[in-house]
Amino acid sequence: MNSRTSRTQMLYTLGFICFLISAFAAFFTGVKVGADKTEAKYAHLKQEGAAQEFSGSYQQQDLVTFYHNVFLPYREFKRNWNSELDNLSRSTGARENAAILKNLSILADKQYDKVTQDSIFTNSPLLHEAQLNILKSLTLFSQASSKVSAGASGAETAKVLEKDNFTGNAVKFGLLAQKNFYDSMLKWGAKANNKIPSEAGELKTLSFIQWKKMPLLLKNASIAGMMLNRSIYAGYDPQDITAKIDDMIYSGTASSLKLKDVQSSVTLLISTGAVQEQDFIKWREQYYGKETMPQLPFFYE
């Protein structure tokens, strides 16, 4: 009797264990199937989210809009500022000096109005920052031109204007905006080509060996950083310096001058006035035919 009862209890126990195993197996199978169905159901939303993330920041259209509505008005001002400052340095009449200063202030205000006509670039933070920096720059240029007194000596007046704190900060904000713009192009390039980094990184001394391996957009962003650090406020653009350096390297000029790095080349080029507007266009086909770059006019015209 006891033997039969023990055998019956053992069978019940084994049956109960088998039931539990089957139940757990069914439960976890159901969980996995449910998870797979849920993932499949919302997979299209993930894809749409990824597409939105790609297109939501630093689109080419953002770069083009910024170029035409922010960069070009400021670029025009920068050319006129440098030109008028040169005229001022050669002027010999107090009345003419006063007229030049007044024109510079009016021009800064006029270009400010042009830049603020369009919306801030909220989807591209660097472009947003660049626009704000340009507005700060134009405001300070206007204030500097208004506060400096016109003396009889144009050269002395120009010197006072250049050394004014408002002017110094105006230049700084303008060059910072330029760097923001070129860093934005780098972020666009990283999405278009996985061989292009999204950031320029810390600015270090660049050997020619390192420089030759860098994509164009990274070279330009690095030069924009150097221009900011050195307060190079000129009519030409970073890609013009890039092209001049590349031509020096590939033509053998850098070697004959015993130059070994990019920074020393920039120093030489700037000190001798060797860089000109449109230098990039001059060598674009020769050196940059296969480079990834956005469809911005100053890369193609």
Side-chain angles (χ1 to χ4, degrees):
M1 184 74 177
N2 291 336
S3 176
R4 187 175 298 174
T5 301
S6 298
R7 192 181 308 117
T8 301
Q9 289 176 341
M10 182 179 70
L11 289 173
Y12 274 120
T13 301
L14 289 174
F16 182 71
I17 291 172
C18 289
F19 170 77
L20 288 176
I21 292 173
S22 299
F24 276 115
F27 172 76
F28 285 113
T29 299
V31 169
K32 185 177 186 308
V33 170
D36 290 343
K37 286 182 178 179
T38 301
E39 186 173 351
K41 181 179 179 180
Y42 294 105
H44 70 286
L45 296 179
K46 288 184 178 181
Q47 292 174 356
E48 289 174 3
Q52 185 176 2
E53 182 180 356
F54 179 88
S55 63
S57 298
Y58 306 103
Q59 302 178 69
Q60 179 162 257
Q61 185 56 48
D62 287 337
L63 296 175
V64 172
T65 300
F66 182 90
Y67 178 90
H68 285 290
N69 297 308
V70 180
F71 184 77
L72 280 186
Y74 188 73
R75 198 184 191 199
E76 180 183 349
F77 169 81
K78 184 169 61 171
R79 284 196 185 115
N80 285 318
W81 172 271
N82 288 324
S83 175
E84 288 294 283
L85 200 60
D86 181 61
N87 291 337
L88 182 61
S89 67
R90 292 183 283 105
S91 173
T92 56
R95 183 175 296 181
E96 183 181 358
N97 297 342
I100 292 174
L101 291 173
K102 184 178 180 180
N103 287 338
L104 285 172
S105 181
I106 292 172
L107 178 62
D109 292 338
K110 178 182 177 183
Q111 300 309 92
Y112 183 99
D113 292 338
K114 287 185 179 180
V115 170
T116 56
Q117 285 178 0
D118 295 275
S119 61
I120 299 296
F121 299 85
T122 53
N123 288 332
S124 302
L126 284 172
L127 293 178
H128 173 99
E129 186 178 343
Q131 185 171 14
L132 293 179
N133 284 330
I134 281 177
L135 294 174
K136 292 176 186 177
S137 178
L138 290 169
T139 298
L140 289 167
F141 272 125
S142 177
Q143 292 174 346
S145 304
S146 298
K147 72 188 284 279
V148 170
S149 299
S153 168
E156 187 61 31
T157 303
K159 187 181 296 184
V160 171
L161 180 58
E162 284 185 286
K163 292 184 177 181
D164 186 82
N165 287 335
F166 282 12
T167 302
N169 285 322
V171 167
K172 181 188 73 175
F173 282 120
L175 292 172
L176 183 56
Q178 177 175 262
K179 185 179 185 301
N180 295 148
F181 187 29
Y182 281 80
D183 284 344
S184 297
M185 292 183 220
L186 198 57
K187 288 193 176 295
W188 170 86
K191 292 179 178 181
N193 185 336
N194 59 16
K195 293 182 180 179
I196 298 176
S198 61
E199 296 180 359
E202 185 180 351
L203 196 59
K204 298 179 180 179
T205 300
L206 293 169
S207 69
F208 289 146
I209 294 175
Q210 294 172 303
W211 175 261
K212 287 192 285 187
K213 294 178 182 178
M214 292 165 61
L216 173 65
L217 294 181
L218 180 55
K219 290 179 179 179
N220 292 342
S222 298
I223 293 296
M226 294 180 202
M227 293 179 75
L228 171 62
N229 290 343
R230 301 184 185 201
S231 297
I232 301 173
Y233 194 74
Y236 47 77
D237 300 308
Q239 65 266 20
D240 295 317
I241 299 179
T242 293
K244 197 72 175 180
I245 292 172
D246 281 332
D247 187 64
M248 287 178 67
I249 293 172
Y250 293 115
S251 68
T253 303
S255 178
S256 64
L257 293 174
K258 297 183 179 180
L259 297 171
K260 296 181 179 179
D261 59 74
V262 172
Q263 278 79 355
S264 60
S265 300
V266 171
T267 299
L268 177 64
L269 290 170
I270 301 307
S271 64
T272 57
V275 184
Q276 302 294 323
E277 293 183 53
Q278 301 293 308
D279 273 346
F280 175 80
I281 298 300
K282 182 178 178 181
W283 286 298
R284 179 173 58 86
E285 293 298 330
Q286 186 173 350
Y287 299 131
Y288 310 110
K290 297 181 180 180
E291 289 281 356
T292 298
M293 62 187 97
Q295 297 289 323
L296 299 176
F298 65 179
F299 286 141
Y300 297 94
E301 293 179 353

